[in-house]
Amino acid sequence: MSMTLPAFTPAQESLFLTLGGRALDSRLPRPFLGDTMAAEILGRTGYDLARFPPLRTKLLDTRTKVFDIAVRAKRLDEVVRRFVARHPDAVVVDLGAGLDDRIFRIDPPSTVDWYDVDLPEVIALREQVVPRHARAHGVSADVTDPRWLEALPGDRPAVIVADGLIAFLPQDAFVAMLNRLTDHFPGGELAFNAYTTYAVWATTHLSSYRPIGGGVVNPGSNDPRAPERWAPALTLVEEIFLTRAPELALMPLAGRLASRLVGRSATLSRTIGTTVLRFQF
């Protein structure tokens, strides 16, 4: 039985785009991510993915529709998994966690503390539809509010990830948040999917993204090193282009050929493809 969902803002509703992509991926014979819990969570909410034509169109192969969402989640998972393997006492912070069950995909050791941060309405929904995990803590807060960090330990290494969030943060608030995060923890890593100016334009102008376009407030950036200037503690250590992902071998021929062509150029890859940036601090 589906539940009655609250009236979400466009930024909040974006969580269903990523959740839906992971759910559709899990139903593929050979999934990119294979997050079967995502399909279960989506089913509990009763959300209608028809609101996102890119996920429901019959003009595209399912692999093409879900590739970016599923594979960027996989890359962020890998960042977290490697970090907690090196730092078993780590703090994991998932900014704008939505209904992501990343902690179950990672299965961190019992010495790790995990914080899923999102707005109160989203955290309330998480508590209803996402299974509980002994190491997970839900934090009901606006990620740009400086006060929520006070409740997190500040004496342990941290790995911080954000999937699909940055476009919905004003630039000044994003920069301030970066500096607060790097000041709070003694060191760690930060990873998120970048939004170029073209990606922001597409999300705000294409009708297929109408449910969430009104929530996009970040101008985007075409320079992967810009966060180093905004938050001096950050150092870019990896720019991950999905146009060069090994998972492309599972894509239909047209997708493989297009990505192979775009993937030859770093500029094209970051402009019209999906990129995950990983920083150390």
Side-chain angles (χ1 to χ4, degrees):
M1 180 181 296
S2 63
M3 61 179 61
T4 300
L5 297 173
F8 285 135
T9 66
Q12 293 169 329
E13 193 162 8
S14 68
L15 70 86
F16 290 104
L17 177 60
T18 50
L19 175 65
R22 295 192 303 273
L24 292 177
D25 168 76
S26 73
R27 297 167 183 162
L28 290 169
R30 296 180 66 187
F32 298 114
L33 182 66
D35 182 0
T36 56
M37 188 178 289
E40 297 170 6
I41 293 169
L42 181 64
R44 291 179 192 130
T45 68
Y47 186 84
D48 184 3
L49 289 182
R51 285 180 56 75
F52 291 107
L55 292 182
R56 302 303 294 175
T57 179
K58 297 185 183 300
L59 300 177
L60 295 174
D61 177 89
T62 301
R63 293 186 178 279
T64 302
K65 292 186 286 188
V66 306
F67 177 83
D68 281 8
I69 292 172
V71 178
R72 84 184 190 202
K74 188 175 181 178
R75 294 292 91 86
L76 290 169
D77 285 359
E78 290 165 355
V79 170
V80 177
R81 191 175 289 112
R82 291 193 301 263
F83 191 88
V84 299
R86 298 193 308 271
H87 304 279
D89 62 336
V91 173
V92 180
V93 183
D94 196 337
L95 299 172
L99 300 182
D100 201 333
D101 56 302
R102 191 184 310 277
I103 190 171
F104 290 94
R105 299 196 301 269
I106 302 297
D107 190 24
S110 60
T111 48
V112 166
D113 277 310
W114 190 293
Y115 295 86
D116 292 306
V117 188
D118 215 314
L119 294 165
E121 298 86 352
V122 177
I123 293 298
L125 182 58
R126 277 189 68 90
E127 292 174 351
Q128 296 180 68
V129 300
V130 179
R132 294 185 180 276
H133 191 287
R135 306 307 300 175
H137 313 277
V139 180
S140 299
D142 183 329
V143 297
T144 64
D145 185 334
R147 292 171 294 181
W148 66 267
L149 262 173
E150 297 172 1
L152 273 61
D155 58 349
R156 293 155 59 186
V159 57
I160 305 158
V161 292
D163 188 354
L165 171 69
I166 307 307
F168 303 99
L169 302 180
Q171 183 70 355
D172 57 347
F174 175 46
V175 170
M177 182 188 72
L178 291 178
N179 283 283
R180 281 194 300 270
L181 288 167
T182 56
D183 287 345
H184 183 80
F185 297 104
E189 294 188 3
L190 166 71
F192 55 86
N193 64 296
Y195 286 87
T196 61
T197 54
Y198 172 77
V200 167
W201 179 90
T203 307
T204 55
H205 287 80
L206 297 182
S207 60
S208 55
Y209 292 102
R210 186 173 294 119
I212 64 174
V216 173
V217 293
N218 193 283
S221 173
N222 300 324
D223 181 0
R225 292 195 174 275
E228 293 179 324
R229 298 191 297 273
W230 302 334
L234 292 176
T235 300
L236 179 67
V237 293
E238 190 174 17
E239 185 177 14
I240 306 168
F241 298 125
L242 264 58
T243 56
R244 302 174 183 176
E247 290 84 359
L248 286 166
L250 298 175
M251 286 283 281
L253 178 61
R256 295 201 307 272
L257 293 176
S259 293
R260 188 177 301 166
L261 180 63
V262 173
R264 293 176 180 175
S265 166
T267 300
L268 283 176
S269 292
R270 70 172 64 103
T271 300
I272 62 177
T274 295
T275 305
V276 173
L277 304 178
R278 181 169 70 93
F279 297 86
Q280 290 180 344
F281 62 92

